[in-house]
Amino acid sequence: MEKIYKQSLIVHARLYVMYSLVFFLLAIAAACKHGTKTISLIWQNERATAIAIPEHLIRDASALRAKHSVRVVLAGNSNKQGILGDFTMDGGVVLFQPLIPLSPGLSYEIWQDDKLIGSIAVPQSKAPAPKLEAIYPEQDTVPENLLKLYFHFSQPMRTGEALEHIYLLDKNKDTMRNVFLNLQPELWDKYSMILTLWLDPGRIKRDLVLNRELGNPLKKSQSYQLVVSGDWKGSRGLKLGKTYTKQFTASGRDGEIPNIDQWQLKIPKAGNTNSLIISMGEALDHYLLGEAITVLNDQGKTMDGYWGPAAKDTQWIFTPKLAWGPGHYQIQVSARLEDLAGNNLNRVFDRDIRKDTQQNKAFFVRGFEVGK
């Protein structure tokens, strides 16, 4: 039986920040102390965080900050607009610290007014290339009103360019247009490793202008191919290097809310730590499913244990830390939990708000008995 364990990452943030700052200041001090005759990079934690420019290359460097005439430009930028950052002077070296670290694999030019002072390239990282570890939903068949896709990468990715690298092909292998909702900023987790991509709700919701003009993105009984380009780069400048594809077929429209009273429960016996297995009868939203359900004991307190989605998100499994005792238990489910069409426990996603009613519960609860 597959068991899914919830993991936590403990980060000593204060120590990390303190030592990173010390390292950065020492690197700058070293560059200033020894001086430099050529443009060079300042490194911190394997990332290029500043550019050291010899003072002699810059005309009237003492007035640098007042004149704002010197700028660092991404090579190939036709308008020569400088990237955001700060210039400082010390010991014959002008240091430029960008707002965000410089990108591996890219080159930068230093300009003063209309004169090119020099350039420098940031080498590619030696770290392994990023990978696309999973695409959710995992099903080969999805409802034609599928609302969201999730992309889980092994490393932080460059954000703001997802729709340049993700596209959908129809049964004739033609690229489909205006399928995804172009959100800026994009919907990433805080580590830039998990992307949420919406199919355009304006095309999914019936009777809206886009739905009438363009129709639903997916059609029942038709097959599609989702493609993620291998040219997409991670935050360190390395490409995926491999094109990822996912084949799937659209089934009929899902217009029903998930009903926890219809879920099938495999209930363990008392005296052991066997798993409670809940079979939903349909795939639910992967990440919401991972956090939406808790098990309460006969005192109404949350039980400790290990839990998570299973069977391509059609099941949820809970394994307690301590053995089950005989008695009454409950599963408490957040009303935010959605199926693949965006229907949650309170309401259908595609509904007529003038006619259709909805519940406003925060949680739904279902009881079960553990026997001796």
Side-chain angles (χ1 to χ4, degrees):
M1 177 183 300
E2 179 183 3
K3 295 184 178 179
I4 299 181
Y5 295 90
K6 189 176 182 181
Q7 300 178 344
S8 61
L9 179 63
I10 301 177
V11 180
H12 299 288
R14 292 184 178 177
L15 289 176
Y16 176 82
V17 171
M18 180 180 70
Y19 287 119
S20 295
L21 179 59
V22 170
F23 180 86
F24 181 67
L25 293 175
L26 288 175
I28 291 178
C32 296
K33 180 178 179 180
H34 299 292
T36 178
K37 295 182 179 180
T38 59
I39 298 171
S40 59
L41 297 171
I42 301 295
W43 294 84
Q44 179 191 10
N45 297 329
E46 299 184 358
R47 305 193 75 177
T49 55
I51 299 176
I53 309 166
E55 183 179 349
H56 69 83
L57 293 179
I58 298 176
R59 183 182 72 254
D60 193 14
S62 62
L64 178 69
R65 298 184 68 180
K67 291 187 176 181
H68 298 290
S69 59
V70 179
R71 61 197 183 280
V72 175
V73 176
L74 181 63
N77 188 339
S78 58
N79 62 16
K80 300 296 186 294
Q81 183 175 356
I83 63 176
L84 296 177
D86 293 321
F87 287 93
T88 57
M89 280 189 57
D90 194 357
V93 175
V94 174
L95 289 169
F96 173 73
Q97 185 176 1
L99 188 62
I100 59 175
L102 303 168
S103 297
L106 298 182
S107 296
Y108 297 85
E109 298 174 340
I110 297 90
W111 289 77
Q112 184 166 24
D113 298 325
D114 295 326
K115 179 183 177 182
L116 177 63
I117 295 174
S119 63
I120 191 166
V122 182
Q124 294 280 12
S125 170
K126 295 181 180 180
K131 297 179 181 179
L132 177 57
E133 295 189 330
I135 299 175
Y136 300 104
E138 298 179 282
Q139 276 64 26
D140 298 326
T141 301
V142 300
E144 66 176 359
N145 55 337
L146 174 70
L147 185 62
K148 288 181 288 186
L149 293 163
Y150 295 108
F151 301 83
H152 189 165
F153 296 90
S154 62
Q155 299 177 20
M157 298 297 292
R158 287 190 180 172
T159 63
E161 54 187 63
L163 295 189
E164 298 175 21
H165 301 290
I166 300 175
Y167 48 96
L168 195 64
L169 305 180
D170 62 18
K171 62 180 181 181
N172 298 317
K173 304 301 181 184
D174 294 326
T175 301
M176 300 172 63
R177 305 296 179 187
N178 303 314
V179 172
F180 301 114
L181 185 63
N182 187 8
L183 288 176
Q184 294 296 335
E186 296 168 340
L187 299 178
W188 290 88
D189 71 326
K190 65 180 180 179
Y191 302 109
S192 298
M193 294 173 63
I194 300 173
L195 170 68
T196 303
L197 189 60
W198 288 57
L199 281 75
D200 194 333
R203 293 189 58 181
I204 294 174
K205 285 205 169 192
R206 292 167 291 188
D207 294 330
L208 293 184
V209 174
L210 282 178
N211 179 269
R212 293 198 300 267
E213 292 180 351
L214 301 177
N216 200 76
L218 306 180
K219 307 295 182 184
K220 181 180 178 180
S221 302
Q222 293 192 16
S223 297
Y224 301 89
Q225 185 179 65
L226 182 66
V227 181
V228 180
S229 169
D231 290 332
W232 198 350
K233 293 181 180 180
S235 62
R236 294 190 173 190
L238 296 179
K239 295 181 179 180
L240 286 173
K242 170 186 174 182
T243 296
Y244 293 82
T245 61
K246 175 181 174 59
Q247 306 277 350
F248 64 90
T249 301
S251 64
R253 195 174 192 87
D254 184 353
E256 301 292 331
I257 64 173
N259 186 347
I260 69 170
D261 292 329
Q262 295 178 357
W263 293 356
Q264 300 297 313
L265 276 57
K266 183 177 180 181
I267 302 171
K269 297 290 185 181
N272 61 59
T273 57
N274 290 346
S275 298
L276 168 70
I277 302 176
I278 303 174
S279 298
M280 282 78 69
E282 63 173 332
L284 300 180
D285 183 291
H286 177 77
Y287 289 102
L288 291 176
L289 182 58
E291 62 185 29
I293 305 176
T294 54
V295 178
L296 308 179
N297 61 21
D298 57 358
Q299 297 177 343
K301 296 181 179 179
T302 301
M303 294 183 61
D304 290 332
Y306 311 100
W307 67 90
K312 294 185 177 181
D313 302 327
T314 62
Q315 289 184 341
W316 187 86
I317 297 177
F318 172 76
T319 305
K321 287 186 177 181
L322 301 177
W324 297 95
H328 183 76
Y329 295 82
Q330 292 180 323
I331 56 171
Q332 178 177 270
V333 187
S334 170
R336 298 185 302 111
L337 180 60
E338 297 177 358
D339 60 23
L340 301 186
N343 307 313
N344 67 30
L345 273 61
N346 274 325
R347 52 102 187 112
V348 174
F349 178 75
D350 182 13
R351 70 190 190 281
D352 187 339
I353 60 175
R354 297 167 299 180
K355 301 177 181 178
D356 297 341
T357 60
Q358 69 172 46
Q359 300 186 76
N360 292 299
K361 293 184 178 180
F363 298 96
F364 287 74
V365 175
R366 177 175 169 183
F368 64 95
E369 298 288 333
V370 172
K372 295 181 180 180

